[in-house]
Structure formats: C-alpha cells, structure tokens
Amino acid sequence: MAFVAHNWRNSKRAFPLETLLMPQVPRGNYLHLLEEKQRLQLKKFLLHRMFLVANIQANMEKREIAEYYDQLFQSILKHHIGEEVTGLLLIYPTSMLHILESSNGTLHQILLDYFNHQRDETEFWVQKMKIIVISHNIPTRLFMHWYVSVVKVPVLYLDDVTQSQSLEEVIMDFFIQTHKLALYLFKTVKVGSKGLGDTLHQTAPDLLPPEQIIKYLCKSEEFMDPATFVNMYNKPMHVTLDSELVWPAPSSF
C-alpha cells in the first residue's frame, strides 16, 4: 500500500498547476478575426471610403479631368493589383466633390499625387483640397464603377446656410445629402453602366450639395489637407513611456 501511495504522489508532481490552468480552447486575436472575415468574403484587402473637396480652375473640361484620374488610377493599379477604385466625382463650375472607395494604399497614393503636384508646381488645376472623412473597413461598395458628372447649378444661391448654421450642422447636412445620393445611385444606376450623364441636377436636385457648401468646406481649417495627412502618415511613432524617463539624466564618466 505504501508503494502505491508513493507512485501516486510522484504522478501528481508530473502535472503542475500551470498546466491544468492553461486554456484548452485555442484563442485568436482581433487581427485574425478580421483576416478570417475578409477570407470568407473573398476580399484581398480592407475597403475604405474617402470624401474629398477641392477648388478647381474655372472652365475645366470634364474630359480633361476624367482622363487625368483615369491615368492616375491605372498607374496606381500597376503597383496595387486588384485594388480597383470606385466612386463619384461631381464637377462644379469652380470646385469638386470626390468620393473614392478602394484600399488604404491606393487612397494614400491618390493623396500623395496631389501632394507632389502642390509641392513641385506653382499652379495646379486642383487647389485647397481637404479630407472631409475617411471611413475604414466598410462592408461593401456603394458604387459599381468610378463615375464623373458635371453639376450645372446657378451661381447665386438665395439661402446661404453657411451664414446661419454652425460647421457641425453644415457637415451633418453634407453627410446626409451625400450618403442619400450614394444610395440613390446604388439603386438606380444599372450594373455595367459606364456613365451617369450630366443631368443629376435635374433628376436628384435635393441630393446634390450646393457649391457654396463645397467651397465653405475647402476654407475650413478644421479639416486636414493632404500634405498634413501624408506627413503624419509617413511619420514614425515614437512613444516614450514614463518608466523610460530618468531624472537626473544619466551621464558617462
């Protein structure tokens, strides 16, 4: 009996408490969850949506603007294979609203293109570009293609909301209009259609933000310009912990 008891004690030492407390079910993290979600949805990258506003030179031709961005997208696509750009470009007489959907790397290259033109050229046809919002990891695209449309609106507006509303109210109305416009186009534009035409101001006038709103947002200092965004994007993060701070500073002898 004593021999049996001795063996039982030895076998008990072979299973330490740490082993018994280890989780029996494998655990993942949030990154693995996102990767698995993207794999199930057959996505190669996380999808993002970016809203841009900018001033443009007067009397810019729609064909010239469309060709410029078509060439830019094709150039970026060579290095970001499969990361197609969809969205909507509304061209006003002296400003534009640009909604873009693609990967993070592709959107960064689009901002970098504007940043390089502003840095290297004295006059570029796009001026005072501002990033209104970037929505990360959106579930699906609202636009099947990248569309360009000219907004033909009167120059004079009887109701200038920028004088009677705060910036928060103006931007809230802006988001409501643009999202309703995106949903309207998602439901009405047929798959395979290559263009919207220039009649949005007739078919959906209540969903188009007035040009005065676009120019107002371009002047707002609260929104980030591409140069600030690119510099912040490329700047490495150095976080100094309190435990790393020593006083007085160490000196060598």
Side-chain angles (χ1 to χ4, degrees):
M1 294 297 294
F3 178 75
V4 175
H6 178 71
N7 289 342
W8 178 80
R9 293 190 184 95
N10 291 339
S11 63
K12 187 177 180 180
R13 294 192 191 98
F15 299 95
L17 182 60
E18 290 79 8
T19 303
L20 296 176
L21 294 179
M22 289 182 64
Q24 302 301 318
V25 180
R27 296 182 179 179
N29 54 37
Y30 186 62
L31 176 60
H32 294 160
L33 179 63
L34 289 179
E35 290 177 345
E36 180 65 14
K37 182 179 179 181
Q38 297 302 314
R39 186 186 68 81
L40 294 176
Q41 296 179 355
L42 301 179
K43 291 183 179 180
K44 297 181 180 179
F45 55 89
L46 295 180
L47 187 61
H48 311 283
R49 184 180 296 120
M50 179 170 62
F51 286 70
L52 299 174
V53 294
N55 291 331
I56 62 175
Q57 292 180 355
N59 301 322
M60 284 289 297
E61 293 291 336
K62 173 184 175 180
R63 177 181 56 82
E64 297 177 2
I65 299 177
E67 289 179 354
Y68 175 84
Y69 279 108
D70 282 335
Q71 294 177 4
L72 175 61
F73 295 160
Q74 292 299 323
S75 176
I76 296 176
L77 194 61
K78 295 179 181 179
H79 304 280
H80 297 264
I81 300 175
E83 302 176 12
E84 183 183 1
V85 178
T86 59
L88 173 66
L89 174 60
L90 297 180
I91 304 174
Y92 295 81
T94 58
S95 62
M96 71 176 189
L97 166 63
H98 208 172
I99 305 175
L100 299 161
E101 299 173 334
S102 189
S103 67
N104 181 64
T106 299
L107 296 183
H108 175 253
Q109 290 299 319
I110 294 173
L111 294 177
L112 189 61
D113 174 78
Y114 171 80
F115 171 73
N116 291 334
H117 279 292
Q118 286 291 98
R119 182 188 58 185
D120 301 335
E121 300 179 14
T122 56
E123 292 186 4
F124 184 49
W125 63 274
V126 183
Q127 297 289 333
K128 295 183 178 181
M129 178 178 286
K130 291 294 178 66
I131 304 171
I132 304 303
V133 68
I134 300 179
S135 301
H136 298 284
N137 193 19
I138 58 178
T140 184
R141 296 177 186 264
L142 287 177
F143 304 94
M144 298 298 101
H145 299 281
W146 181 72
Y147 302 106
V148 183
S149 181
V150 176
V151 180
K152 301 177 181 179
V153 293
V155 179
L156 180 62
Y157 296 94
L158 299 178
D159 184 18
D160 188 358
V161 297
T162 61
Q163 301 296 327
S164 58
Q165 295 182 352
S166 63
L167 177 61
E168 290 76 11
E169 294 173 331
V170 172
I171 195 64
M172 183 62 68
D173 292 339
F174 170 79
F175 283 138
I176 292 175
Q177 278 187 308
T178 52
H179 279 81
K180 286 184 177 180
L181 175 62
L183 291 175
Y184 168 79
L185 297 178
F186 180 78
K187 295 178 181 179
T188 57
V189 178
K190 297 181 179 179
V191 178
S193 176
K194 296 184 179 180
L196 294 177
D198 299 331
T199 61
L200 282 179
H201 62 284
Q202 298 176 353
T203 57
D206 297 335
L207 303 180
L208 295 176
E211 186 178 21
Q212 62 181 359
I213 300 297
I214 306 301
K215 301 183 76 65
Y216 173 75
L217 297 177
C218 292
K219 297 178 181 178
S220 299
E221 298 295 334
E222 287 79 1
F223 300 106
M224 191 177 298
D225 59 277
T228 304
F229 180 87
V230 170
N231 291 331
M232 184 178 66
Y233 185 91
N234 296 328
K235 184 178 180 181
M237 297 181 61
H238 299 285
V239 179
T240 303
L241 303 178
D242 293 340
S243 59
E244 298 176 355
L245 300 177
V246 180
W247 184 261
S251 59
S252 58
F253 296 94

